[in-house]
Amino acid sequence: MARADERRLKVLRAIVTDFVASHEPVGSKALVEKYQLGVSSATIRNDMAVLEAQGYITQPHPSSGRVPTEKGYREFVDNIEQIKPLSRAERTAIRRFLDNSISIDDVLNRGIRLLSQLTQQVAVIQYPTLHCASVQHVEIIQMADRRVLVVIITDRGRVDQRIVEFDRDLTPDAVTTLQQEFITALKCRTLSEASTAVAALLADPHHPYAKELARAGHIILDTLVEHPEERLLLGGTSHLTRHAASFHGSLQELLDALEEQVVILKLLNSAATNPLGDPHAVTVRIGEETHLEHIHGTSVVSTTYGTDDSVFGGLGVIGPTRMDYLTNIAAVSAVARYIGEILAGH
């Protein structure tokens, strides 16, 4: 990169940084006074003219300074050399806050609140997707002579508990047999595979406990059916009101999209197929790149959470293009990592 290009990139970085912080157009005089660029104000003005001609910055009014365009934000993000990691105190606080969670719902609710507080943006977290989930644990607990509790836990943290009532008393041998048969049919199988295995198990009319298997099996089959809706948790929507002007009058459309959730789910799901090939890399979509129709001035910083070889779901933040990308990328990455570790540990 030529020296002039390097300097113009520094000028662009300075304009983005100042505009994000102040929401005021940035002039050449402010850049010269604040940043050690090693050139005169005239050179800075020339650099700004070049950046404007190239579409990276624009001048809202004839007598004002410059503000970044979507192309300018993209150039800024693409040239981030290093993301400043969260401090040791921040990482410790995140870990302690999430470690106190008592369930998957608690982990995600805490995570959404934390991410919103760290970024001051709307935070979204997708519940663990179930299409690749497998059964991790099966237990049948006798509660009365004719009643058992069936507990099914998946590797995505989903826990289902169902009461099964029978027409006759269950012997200890019957309970043990039911437990063994369903463990064999379910454990370490995906939900769809487990459903097929249970259906095959119920097809044997000569089994000594065929009636009991059928009664419990039909309830288990209903339990294994994946919920058709994918759930999103949102936090910090009140932050949008502080940035209303940045959405160019389309704040209501953004609120509608958040409520409908379908478009946001597509954005989070697409994070797993980012161009870098790493499903846990942070993806930044700026302005038109979000493909949010009728919603202008919006950016999405997202990633996935899970283990090294498995994606559980997506999370991210949504806000104006005038956002602190460095802080948001670091926060999204850190919270995703800790949520993945905690859920994998569960």
Side-chain angles (χ1 to χ4, degrees):
M1 181 183 293
R3 182 176 299 177
D5 291 334
E6 292 179 356
R7 189 182 61 250
R8 285 168 192 150
L9 180 57
K10 290 180 181 179
V11 170
L12 176 62
R13 286 172 176 163
I15 292 173
V16 170
T17 302
D18 271 25
F19 182 65
V20 167
S22 68
H23 201 187
E24 295 291 337
V26 182
S28 58
K29 181 179 179 182
L31 295 181
V32 172
E33 293 175 350
K34 189 171 182 179
Y35 296 93
Q36 304 272 332
L37 297 174
V39 292
S40 66
S41 57
T43 301
I44 297 300
R45 285 195 295 272
N46 289 336
D47 287 341
M48 294 173 72
V50 172
L51 289 171
E52 186 171 5
Q54 293 174 339
Y56 293 116
I57 59 177
T58 188
Q59 191 173 25
H61 308 290
S63 60
S64 70
R66 269 66 165 188
V67 300
T69 62
E70 290 182 2
K71 182 179 179 181
Y73 285 121
R74 168 49 59 195
E75 185 73 7
F76 173 83
V77 171
D78 287 346
N79 283 279
I80 293 175
E81 296 176 351
Q82 185 177 6
I83 298 298
K84 181 182 178 182
L86 299 181
S87 68
R88 181 186 297 271
E90 288 173 322
R91 296 196 303 271
T92 300
I94 291 174
R95 187 77 203 197
R96 286 177 178 171
F97 184 66
L98 294 178
D99 273 342
N100 290 327
S101 306
I102 59 176
S103 66
I104 183 173
D105 292 306
D106 197 20
V107 171
L108 298 184
N109 275 291
R110 285 170 177 262
I112 202 72
R113 297 205 313 270
L114 181 62
L115 187 56
S116 177
Q117 290 170 4
L118 289 171
T119 63
Q120 296 295 294
Q121 305 292 345
V122 176
V124 293
I125 296 183
Q126 177 186 20
Y127 260 76
T129 55
L130 299 177
H131 66 280
C132 294
S134 61
V135 178
Q136 187 178 54
H137 181 75
V138 182
E139 190 165 358
I140 297 179
I141 304 168
Q142 188 163 15
M143 303 179 66
D145 291 340
R146 299 187 179 188
R147 182 185 305 149
V148 299
L149 173 67
V150 178
V151 181
I152 299 175
I153 303 174
T154 74
D155 62 349
R156 296 295 187 269
R158 172 180 162 187
V159 179
D160 280 299
Q161 303 180 61
R162 299 291 179 91
I163 298 291
V164 184
E165 300 275 357
F166 298 95
D167 295 331
R168 61 180 179 178
D169 293 351
L170 292 178
T171 65
D173 180 64
V175 175
T176 300
T177 300
L178 290 176
Q179 170 96 354
Q180 292 174 342
E181 292 283 16
F182 286 118
I183 285 178
T184 300
L186 298 173
K187 193 167 184 181
C188 298
R189 297 179 188 268
T190 65
L191 299 189
S192 59
E193 292 170 345
S195 297
T196 301
V198 170
L201 179 62
L202 304 188
D204 180 8
H206 304 295
H207 194 285
Y209 296 108
K211 290 184 178 180
E212 287 77 9
L213 283 173
R215 178 64 64 88
H218 286 302
I219 291 177
I220 289 174
L221 281 173
D222 181 61
T223 302
L224 293 174
V225 173
E226 296 186 20
H227 302 297
E229 76 282 1
E230 289 192 84
R231 295 172 58 193
L232 271 185
L233 286 178
L234 279 75
T237 52
S238 61
H239 292 309
L240 290 177
T241 59
R242 296 189 296 106
H243 308 299
S246 298
F247 296 109
H248 309 308
S250 58
L251 179 57
Q252 186 58 52
E253 285 83 353
L254 177 55
L255 290 171
D256 291 342
L258 291 172
E259 185 174 344
E260 291 177 6
Q261 299 193 354
V262 175
V263 175
I264 309 304
L265 278 168
K266 288 181 179 179
L267 282 170
L268 294 182
N269 288 334
S270 65
T273 56
N274 67 76
L276 299 176
D278 176 6
H280 297 309
V282 176
T283 300
V284 180
R285 292 178 176 82
I286 300 170
E288 292 184 358
E289 297 170 355
T290 64
H291 301 295
L292 294 176
E293 293 186 13
H294 312 301
I295 302 174
H296 306 290
T298 303
S299 286
V300 179
V301 179
S302 61
T303 188
T304 62
Y305 64 91
T307 62
D308 290 341
D309 54 3
S310 182
V311 171
F312 293 176
L315 65 81
V317 295
I318 300 172
T321 53
R322 186 189 66 84
M323 66 163 59
D324 185 346
Y325 291 98
L326 292 171
T327 295
N328 292 349
I329 291 171
V332 165
S333 179
V335 173
R337 182 172 67 254
Y338 286 124
I339 288 178
E341 290 175 358
I342 290 171
L343 292 185
H346 284 182

